[in-house]
Amino acid sequence: APEEVQAAVARGLETDPAARHERLEALLAPLEAALKTSGESRVRALMLERVERLWLRGVLDRSLEGGAAIELALEPAPELVDSPWAPWGVESPDDDARSRDLRHILRESNDALLLVGPPGSGKTTLLLGLCRELWRSARLQPDAPAPVVLSLSTYHPEQRPGRSPARHFARWVIDELVAKYGIPRRAVRPWLYSAQVVLLLDGLDETAPDERDAVVEALNAFRAEHPL
């Protein structure tokens, strides 16, 4: 049992009544907190297990079929994205633009990364390779954000004017995590607002061409409101 629980129970078992808790609530509070933390840990472990089963073993390993992925030569395309350093009025820090370590590139790009390329160029394999590295960190470090893969091909932008695209996209993320991963809805919302997940979004090129700009707009609006 956690140290807080042991201390609370030990105090409740003191021989001297004056040394015990004055009220029962003082004993229950650390016990309830421990139960909550334990429940959150179980939900996180469940999500990591399903990410591994559905995407890492179910898609990545099967696509490689026991072989190794070919290392792709990555090229920077800064003209396709807004620089995360622009709001600060400074230039991007010097970096090895040809690095093949996606975790390094993700960190240096202020935790936001866009992979582009023609169909069949290996974007999904790269994405899932990054997912595996983040998954390993999340397994070893309880405070590391957990990666989750979603397909943008199932997202359809809000059609009604005046509605918040960020809120609509957030509802879609929550619905997908509940439906595809079986995560309790009550657990998902706090994750989005406390940077406990890394969203790995695949399949932008599979969305309807006439909706693609609206999908990007909704995604940018969502990112502006969530510390992912």
Side-chain angles (χ1 to χ4, degrees):
E3 292 183 3
E4 295 82 359
V5 172
Q6 295 183 41
V9 172
R11 182 178 177 186
L13 295 175
E14 286 286 350
T15 304
D16 182 4
R20 302 175 196 158
H21 305 90
E22 293 183 4
R23 300 180 59 83
L24 184 59
E25 289 80 359
L27 171 61
L28 293 179
L31 303 183
E32 291 174 342
L35 282 174
K36 181 181 178 182
T37 301
S38 176
E40 292 173 350
S41 299
R42 286 197 298 270
V43 172
R44 172 186 165 89
L46 174 66
M47 188 174 76
L48 289 174
E49 185 273 331
R50 289 181 177 171
V51 167
E52 180 191 25
R53 177 163 50 84
L54 295 172
W55 289 100
L56 300 182
R57 287 193 279 117
V59 177
L60 181 60
D61 289 347
R62 286 185 181 180
S63 68
L64 298 177
E65 293 183 345
I70 298 174
E71 283 198 15
L72 301 177
L74 302 178
E75 295 289 343
E79 69 279 4
L80 298 182
V81 296
D82 293 330
S83 169
W85 306 101
W88 302 92
V90 297
E91 295 183 0
S92 300
D94 293 334
D95 189 25
D96 180 6
R98 297 179 185 273
S99 172
R100 294 179 179 177
D101 183 350
L102 284 188
R103 288 191 63 182
H104 172 76
I105 297 173
L106 178 65
R107 182 173 60 252
E108 293 301 318
S109 61
N110 207 29
D111 296 328
L113 179 64
L114 174 67
L115 296 175
V116 297
S121 60
K123 298 188 298 296
T124 297
T125 301
L126 278 175
L127 184 77
L128 294 181
L130 174 60
C131 178
R132 172 160 282 165
E133 293 301 314
L134 296 170
W135 176 85
R136 287 170 176 163
S137 294
R139 286 287 301 273
L140 296 174
Q141 305 172 33
D143 59 341
V148 60
V149 183
L150 300 176
S151 176
L152 287 169
S153 62
T154 66
Y155 176 70
H156 300 285
E158 174 67 81
Q159 300 296 331
R160 290 172 288 184
R163 298 299 183 100
S164 167
R167 187 172 302 174
H168 186 263
F169 194 90
R171 283 201 303 267
W172 172 77
V173 170
I174 293 171
D175 290 344
E176 287 290 286
L177 289 175
V178 171
K180 303 293 174 58
Y181 290 90
I183 305 301
R185 190 174 296 271
R186 59 178 170 76
V188 173
R189 190 178 299 275
W191 286 352
L192 295 185
Y193 287 92
S194 57
Q196 294 184 49
V197 293
V198 182
L199 279 185
L200 302 173
L201 304 173
D202 193 23
L204 178 61
D205 50 2
E206 297 174 9
T207 61
D210 59 340
E211 291 186 343
R212 207 162 291 164
D213 288 344
V215 172
V216 173
E217 179 184 357
L219 177 55
N220 285 333
F222 172 80
R223 286 190 57 244
E225 295 187 9
H226 295 79
L228 296 175

